[in-house]
Amino acid sequence: MNEDIVAVSLFSGAGGLDIASIMAGVPVVSSTDIDSDCIQTLKANEMFKDSDIFEGDLHDIESSVFKACVEKRKANKFIIIGGAPCQPFSKAGYWVGNQTRRGINDPRATLVDEYLRVVTDILPDGFVFENVESLLHPTNKIIVEKFLEIVNDAGYTCKIVRANALDYGVSQKRKRLFILGTKSNFKSDEPKKTHCDPSLCEETGLKPYVNVGEVIQGFEGDKYFEEYEVTKGGTYYEDLCEVPPGKNYKALTAWAGYPNPKFVADKRFWSFLLKLSPDLPSWTITAQPGPWVGPFHWGNRRLRVPEIAAIQTFPKGYKFVGSRRSIQKQIGNAVPCLMGKAMIEFVKESLE
């Protein structure tokens, strides 16, 4: 089979970027991850039946393995996609003191080196690298500078894109950093945005941001009930019921003019008792939410698996394998598919 452009996926997770690549018309020839639940998730979905899927630590997988997958498909061109695990660079880490936050000294930072090793060994025609926006924070910035130096020396033109998922049709405020590279020249200034703030639609000609009520419609029935979603009887259940849709615990403070305040503003993490409004986009879906950390459904319950998957723009009916906790982590760590699609299309366009 002779294919025009294909993708090699590293740090594939549950397949967010892999699905994005398929949506962008770039078939994925190989995927890899260290997490066995993620690997089982990929294998459970029909769309990856023709992909070579490898379970293992990227440190232990030779670059030639990926090159062979591309050659087997007789592809004319190929790209590498992936986001090295980003916990050491996460903004959530700033809540921990600088003494305990390892940042750049975290051994997981070496996974960025592994991504670069595969890129410089097999020299794809382009690449998409994804990470958290705080990778540009002064503490971590040296990683970006070194990354750019290495890929520039290897002959790539790069663009750094600070993206918000909302702009690409994802019903979720989620900021991410992408480093996009091509051996050719980019044909436009940035990946194509499709959505914007409703007040700017007339001026820009783009569609309004997608509201979460529209995206998770149809999953409210008993058929999708999960034990995990139940909040009734919990420590803060009564308080959660008092929070209006679209607000957090601060609605129950003196700051908000609440009679008999239950909490003090700015003394809690902002996502404490955070509740979705059906008429607004969602906040970021996290990989490991605490017991009373949102976003919660406006019906005073936790979100269900098909709801968080829909907010991340996974295709309806996509299968996830593992415990409820593992599935939350897989979905929360994923790149929203529509956001990834815009980035891959931008790189693909430069190669055509």
Side-chain angles (χ1 to χ4, degrees), residues 84-105:
C86 56
Q87 288 83 347
F89 320 125
S90 171
K91 200 173 175 184
Y94 298 159
W95 281 75
V96 184
N98 264 333
Q99 296 307 308
T100 51
R101 193 173 142 268
R102 295 177 294 175
I104 190 167
N105 300 317

Side-chain angles (χ1 to χ4, degrees), residues 104-172:
I104 190 167
N105 300 317
D106 191 298
R108 288 168 294 188
T110 64
L111 291 169
V112 178
D113 297 337
E114 292 305 306
Y115 183 97
L116 287 167
R117 183 253 306 172
V118 179
V119 168
T120 52
D121 280 356
I122 67 176
L123 298 171
D125 298 278
F127 63 82
V128 173
F129 176 80
E130 176 269 346
N131 218 290
V132 287
E133 199 188 28
S134 46
L135 192 58
L136 292 177
H137 185 271
T139 327
N140 304 316
K141 213 172 171 190
I142 188 171
I143 297 173
V144 176
E145 287 165 0
K146 206 73 197 146
F147 186 110
L148 292 173
E149 188 185 313
I150 290 166
V151 292
N152 289 158
D153 286 351
Y156 293 94
T157 302
C158 293
K159 274 193 190 286
I160 292 180
V161 179
R162 297 174 86 143
N164 190 332
L166 283 174
D167 294 331
Y168 306 97
V170 180
S171 180
Q172 181 187 180

Side-chain angles (χ1 to χ4, degrees), residues 7-15 18 22 28-58 61 65-66 69 72-73 318-319 321:
V8 165
S9 168
L10 308 177
F11 311 109
S12 308
D18 301 50
I22 292 167
V28 179
V29 294
S30 76
S31 304
T32 181
D33 204 273
I34 195 169
D35 185 291
S36 56
D37 282 353
C38 289
I39 292 296
Q40 293 312 312
T41 289
L42 294 172
K43 288 181 173 177
N45 287 283
E46 183 73 10
M47 63 174 70
F48 300 120
K49 69 179 192 311
D50 297 327
S51 303
D52 289 312
I53 298 172
F54 304 101
E55 181 179 340
D57 186 334
L58 191 57
I61 304 175
V65 168
F66 306 115
C69 294
K72 188 166 81 178
R73 291 287 275 268
Y318 192 78
K319 298 184 182 76
V321 178

Side-chain angles (χ1 to χ4, degrees), residues 339-350:
M339 185 189 211
K341 173 179 179 267
M343 304 301 144
I344 293 167
E345 280 174 343
F346 181 68
V347 171
K348 180 189 179 188
E349 174 192 70
S350 77

Side-chain angles (χ1 to χ4, degrees), residues 172-176 270 274 282-286 294-295 332:
Q172 181 187 180
K173 293 177 186 172
R174 190 184 189 95
K175 291 181 176 176
R176 283 295 181 267
W270 73 276
L274 181 67
S282 171
W283 285 275
T284 303
I285 296 299
T286 57

